[in-house]
Amino acid sequence: MSFLSYLINGISLGSIYAIIALGYTMVYGIARMLNFAHGDIIMVGGFAIFTIVSTMGLPPLLGILVAVAVCTVLGVTIERVAYRPLRGASSLAVLITAIGVSYLLQNVALLIFGSNARQFTSVVTLPNLKLADGALIISSVTIVTIVSCILIMIGLTSFINKTKVGQAMLAVSEDNGAATLMGIDVNRTIAITFAIGSALAAVAGALLCSTYPSLTPYTGSMPGIKAFVAAVFGGIGSIPGALIGGVLLGVIENLSKAYISSQLSDAIVFSVLILVLLIRPTGILGRKINEKV
């Protein structure tokens, strides 16, 4: 039963990574840029929920809605102010800007909330699930996290494949110039992509802080990096790849902590990533893009 418990918890953790990885994979797939400030948007969402629920005493659902709204506006603002002026710049300039935005968000949070860890109140209040006469207990947060990840993946895939905005995203991801000639507003499409990714970051922040109820200005840093690893693992630019990469990463990390060493779990995760990329550089579901010169 212990192995099954570790496996389920690993899938739950991987589901959080997958939701975060969606932000990376969508932005890269459409705008061809890496938004390394994405992990800190998770932290902003966590503090928004903390303020609404713990400080003001309002319902958790309202806290989640406020966090989604705040993170969506923040994501669109970051894209408009920091990334859009660099649309034609080198990838190195965009990377440095993303790191700068990340540190800016962390330091603003430090000024407002301080460096002390805050106790986060879980947004999930459902009862735990007991199986095998109580031998296996699955927490309600774990169940909600896995179900939320599946629903988000299905909804996002349907949105991209069946809506006009989703088709515009696919067109922009293939060729910016051709999409512009077809009458697609590229800037608007990329802004919508940032909005969706940031809204999902708020949801991931709520689930992450409910699972690990400690909140600091650095809460989103390591999960953001691991989610980026998950996106690369599964094939950055691929939505199913983000799901597969996130779940595999969560399972490997949890089983490594349980059966090998909690101190070495991160090293094992990154070692597996290196091994996968040596064998398949584009990731599990990634595809090689041939550039015409």
Side-chain angles (χ1 to χ4, degrees):
M1 285 297 177
S2 59
F3 173 79
L4 187 59
S5 177
Y6 293 139
L7 180 63
I8 293 172
N9 289 333
I11 293 173
S12 174
L13 177 61
S15 297
I16 296 174
Y17 289 154
I19 296 172
I20 303 171
L22 281 174
Y24 285 111
T25 206
M26 287 181 65
V27 169
Y28 180 81
I30 294 171
R32 289 292 183 266
M33 63 174 61
L34 295 173
N35 178 22
F36 277 112
H38 189 65
D40 298 288
I41 296 177
I42 299 168
M43 173 268 296
V44 172
F47 272 113
I49 296 173
F50 174 82
T51 302
I52 296 297
V53 177
S54 299
T55 305
M56 298 183 178
L58 297 175
L61 180 59
L62 179 60
I64 295 174
L65 294 176
V66 170
V68 168
V70 169
C71 290
T72 300
V73 172
L74 178 61
V76 173
T77 302
I78 290 173
E79 188 278 329
R80 181 67 182 85
V81 174
Y83 297 143
R84 189 175 299 184
L86 299 174
R87 193 65 52 80
S90 66
S91 57
L92 181 60
V94 177
L95 177 62
I96 293 172
T97 301
I99 294 173
V101 173
S102 173
Y103 279 111
L104 174 65
L105 293 177
Q106 288 178 14
N107 281 276
V108 169
L110 277 170
L111 288 172
I112 296 174
F113 297 101
S115 59
N116 294 331
R118 307 296 180 96
Q119 188 68 22
F120 189 89
T121 303
S122 176
V123 297
V124 181
T125 57
L126 300 173
N128 296 334
L129 179 63
K130 296 182 179 181
L131 301 175
D133 295 328
L136 177 63
I137 299 177
I138 304 174
S139 70
S140 57
V141 175
T142 297
I143 298 171
V144 169
T145 299
I146 296 173
V147 171
S148 298
C149 179
I150 294 171
L151 293 177
I152 287 171
M153 290 293 173
I154 294 173
L156 190 58
T157 302
S158 300
F159 173 79
I160 289 177
N161 292 328
K162 296 182 180 180
T163 66
K164 187 175 291 186
V165 175
Q167 292 299 304
M169 289 179 176
L170 290 176
V172 172
S173 69
E174 289 294 330
D175 192 320
N176 276 359
T180 302
L181 292 175
M182 293 171 63
I184 295 173
D185 188 336
V186 173
N187 287 332
R188 177 175 174 270
T189 302
I190 293 176
I192 292 174
T193 304
F194 269 84
I196 294 173
S198 299
L200 293 179
V203 175
L207 296 173
L208 176 68
C209 293
S210 295
T211 304
Y212 305 100
S214 179
L215 182 61
T216 73
Y218 306 105
T219 291
S221 297
M222 186 53 73
I225 293 173
K226 289 181 178 177
F228 172 69
V229 170
V232 176
F233 196 4
I236 192 162
S238 168
I239 292 177
L243 174 61
I244 293 173
V247 171
L248 286 177
L249 194 75
V251 170
I252 292 170
E253 180 180 340
N254 225 43
L255 293 181
S256 298
K257 286 180 179 179
Y259 293 107
I260 301 177
S261 169
S262 59
Q263 286 80 18
L264 293 177
S265 61
D266 289 346
I268 293 170
V269 164
F270 289 108
S271 298
V272 171
L273 171 69
I274 293 171
L275 181 62
V276 168
L277 292 182
L278 286 174
I279 299 172
R280 187 173 174 80
T282 57
I284 297 173
L285 295 184
R287 58 190 179 91
K288 187 177 180 180
I289 299 175
N290 296 318
E291 294 186 3
K292 295 181 179 180
V293 180

